[in-house]
Amino acid sequence: MRNLLEEFLPWKNFQNDRTKELENRGVKNPTILGFREHIFTGSVSSLAWFMSNQETSFVTIGQRLLASPLKVRFHYGHPDVFDRLFHLTRGGISKASTIINLSEDIFAGFNSTLRGGNITHHEYIQVGKGRDVGLNQISQFEAKIANGNGEQTMSRDIYRLGHRFDFFRMLSCYFTTIGFYFSNLITVLIVYVFLYGRLYLVLSGLEEAMSEEPEIRDNKPLQVALASQSFVQIGYLMALPMVMEIGLEHGFSKAFTDFVLMQLQLAPIFFTFSLGTKTHYFGRTLLHGGAEYRGTGRGFVVFHAKFAENYRLYSRSHFIKGIELMVLLLVYHIFGRAYEGVLAYLLITISIWFMVGSWLFAPFLFNPSGFEWQKIVEDWSDWKKWILNRGGIGVSHEKSWESWWEKEQNHLKYSGARGIIVEILLSLRFFIYQYGLVYHLTFAKKSKSFLVYGLSWVVILVILFVVKAVSVGRRKFSANFQLVFRMINGVIFIISVSVLITLVVIVDMQFRDIVVCILALMPSGWGLLLIAQALKPLVVKMGIWASVQTLARGYEIFMGLLLFTPVAFLAWFPFVSEFQTRMLFNQAFSRGLQISRILGGPEDKSSRNKE
């Protein structure tokens, strides 16, 4: 500690050649001096180990590089030593805003650099630090950091730094702050642009025409390029700093062993899931603002998260986007022709399918006891109670779906006109499915008439009218006229079945047509929901907000069932839960988990009934 504090003594106090050399080079005393950390929570679980290795590389080899030669190190919440007198006489450290300056630590570094300070990193000592050990804790932490980085992107501090740095230091500052999150956002956007471009080619018939060209069908250089791209997309290059740090400290044999172990413990799934977290919250902050602090607790505990809790945390950031990409891939698989049966088709889609699987099922895969049957039964009961519970004043979002749904739209309340317009324009992409797919139905007979598309909207309006009628009937007649209301519901069900049978038998509707109708109509309904949420004041004045809420609940129930069914199916097999526990958690935790099950005994059904 004494050597570290000696760094803050003025150079003029030392009369030697080294001091004169430093003065001639313009080297100043540090105003913020950083040193390394030791992450001691890596032994709790595989996720804690991933985060420990990632953080270790950032607080050691990363900080060394930022300090020298890049000279763009700031302050990242590490136990740095500040020159108190320097900062107190230059505006202090803290900021007045809890939203714009959500990442208050790095703004201290911005202030120090803008006011002529010198920030460096010397590893005289190290301190211990605990990181988040559960997936939900890690995701909330990364969401907070991504929100803060979005606010940094729009802050005047980054603007001033960019204008005052030289060219190379400016590029280094960009890459090590907002550039990292912006490149993640661009990576995900490129996947969307690529798949929607393929969707246009497939539905317009251009791909079928192009597939007849041998230059396009047998494009070997393209396949070679895609093969190398897929290798990079697996994420090996992202782990390179981590491997280098472990190699420097423990030897490269240890680094190689740890790298292989991380792949076996599904590290690529975790980092792909983390990519979705960063992208969603960074992009939403840029579009609407609304950054907020998210307390993770930093608990040294790994516990089972209920299905409803996972759904609340990841529905908007991962599940909806994963289902959208899955629908795009299904449409591409059903109607695509250009790469069918060749290696290029696999190389095109394998990385995107991997992303879809990671975004949809990583929260359950990394959830302790996530495939234990008793936990699944309890999660299902809790999910039903949450999704069907009515909200209202004083009802928290953890108790009611309606309260959570309203809370998820808070960022739209304070968004400007530009954010609302962009939100509506982005929602229009969901209508592409319906416009293109209705012309591929068997009974459409390849008609190009606009009437076919118009009739599909008539079907949607009829479905919405039926949903509205059932909703109004439930509120007004279910209490006093239960028998009549149940009879009306039965008549509606019989009519719906009769219409479906008529289409199948008389109009020669095939099973493929039913799938196409679902793939065409359901995205349109979701697009209408997003537009209604963006225009909530107008929709409320029109008096149809309750119908929007009912339709939204139906979509949420469908998505919940889509996610819950595969998890419940795997929970039937006891070896899946055993494999998950031993693969994702260390031996001590696995043994403790087994002992807790034994000591806990059978569940008290009477107490559960009382609840």
Side-chain angles (χ1 to χ4, degrees), residues 92-227:
I93 297 173
S94 299
K95 290 285 188 174
S97 172
T98 58
I99 297 177
I100 298 175
N101 310 110
L102 180 65
S103 303
E104 78 289 345
D105 44 10
I106 198 170
F107 280 97
F110 290 162
N111 283 343
S112 185
T113 303
L114 285 170
R115 285 153 179 78
N118 176 34
I119 305 175
T120 186
H121 175 87
H122 293 302
E123 299 181 1
Y124 291 102
I125 61 175
Q126 73 173 12
V127 296
K129 183 178 182 180
R131 294 292 303 175
D132 303 293
V133 298
L135 181 64
N136 292 355
Q137 294 175 330
I138 293 171
S139 296
Q140 290 186 66
F141 171 76
E142 291 186 338
K144 183 189 74 171
I145 297 301
N147 278 336
N149 207 277
E151 297 293 351
Q152 290 172 39
T153 306
M154 298 179 287
S155 69
R156 66 183 68 182
D157 300 75
I158 282 289
Y159 174 82
R160 289 169 176 169
L161 284 172
H163 276 261
R164 285 158 177 78
F165 277 157
D166 60 73
F167 180 74
F168 300 102
R169 202 174 174 193
M170 178 191 68
L171 290 183
S172 301
C173 175
Y174 166 77
F175 180 76
T176 56
T177 53
I178 63 175
F180 173 72
Y181 285 86
F182 190 73
S183 62
N184 285 338
L185 177 64
I186 292 297
T187 301
V188 176
L189 287 179
I190 288 299
V191 174
Y192 275 88
V193 171
F194 170 75
L195 285 180
Y196 274 101
R198 303 299 303 185
L199 180 69
Y200 169 75
L201 291 177
V202 164
L203 298 184
S204 64
L206 280 175
E207 189 179 63
E208 186 175 1
M210 293 168 59
S211 63
E212 298 176 359
E213 298 292 333
E215 294 85 359
I216 298 176
R217 187 176 63 249
D218 301 323
N219 195 339
K220 298 299 182 183
L222 175 63
Q223 296 182 23
V224 173
L226 290 171

Side-chain angles (χ1 to χ4, degrees), residues 8-16 19-20 23 27 29:
F8 292 93
L9 292 179
W11 294 114
K12 62 184 179 181
N13 292 348
F14 300 94
Q15 300 299 326
N16 52 41
T19 304
K20 295 178 181 179
E23 287 180 346
V27 176
N29 293 100

Side-chain angles (χ1 to χ4, degrees), residues 524-560:
S524 297
W526 185 254
L528 290 174
L529 276 177
L530 294 180
I531 295 175
Q533 292 173 17
L535 302 175
K536 181 180 178 180
L538 178 62
V539 174
V540 171
K541 288 182 181 180
M542 294 171 62
I544 58 174
W545 183 250
S547 302
V548 172
Q549 192 177 65
T550 302
L551 184 63
R553 191 196 299 270
Y555 271 93
E556 302 282 0
I557 292 174
F558 172 77
M559 288 189 293

Side-chain angles (χ1 to χ4, degrees), residues 258-278:
D258 285 355
F259 178 74
V260 173
L261 261 178
M262 285 170 52
Q263 306 307 309
L264 294 177
Q265 291 192 329
L266 310 180
I269 294 178
F270 166 72
F271 288 115
T272 304
F273 185 83
S274 178
L275 171 69
T277 305
K278 296 185 181 78

Side-chain angles (χ1 to χ4, degrees), residues 1 3-8 29-36 73-75 77-87 93 112 118-122 124-125 127:
M1 190 66 185
N3 292 338
L4 186 145
L5 294 177
E6 289 283 340
E7 292 276 349
F8 292 93
N29 293 100
T31 53
I32 300 178
L33 179 60
F35 45 91
R36 62 175 289 154
R73 187 186 188 274
F74 301 112
H75 175 56
H78 298 167
D80 297 346
V81 178
F82 281 67
D83 186 339
R84 182 170 181 266
L85 187 60
F86 175 89
H87 289 91
I93 297 173
S112 185
N118 176 34
I119 305 175
T120 186
H121 175 87
H122 293 302
Y124 291 102
I125 61 175
V127 296

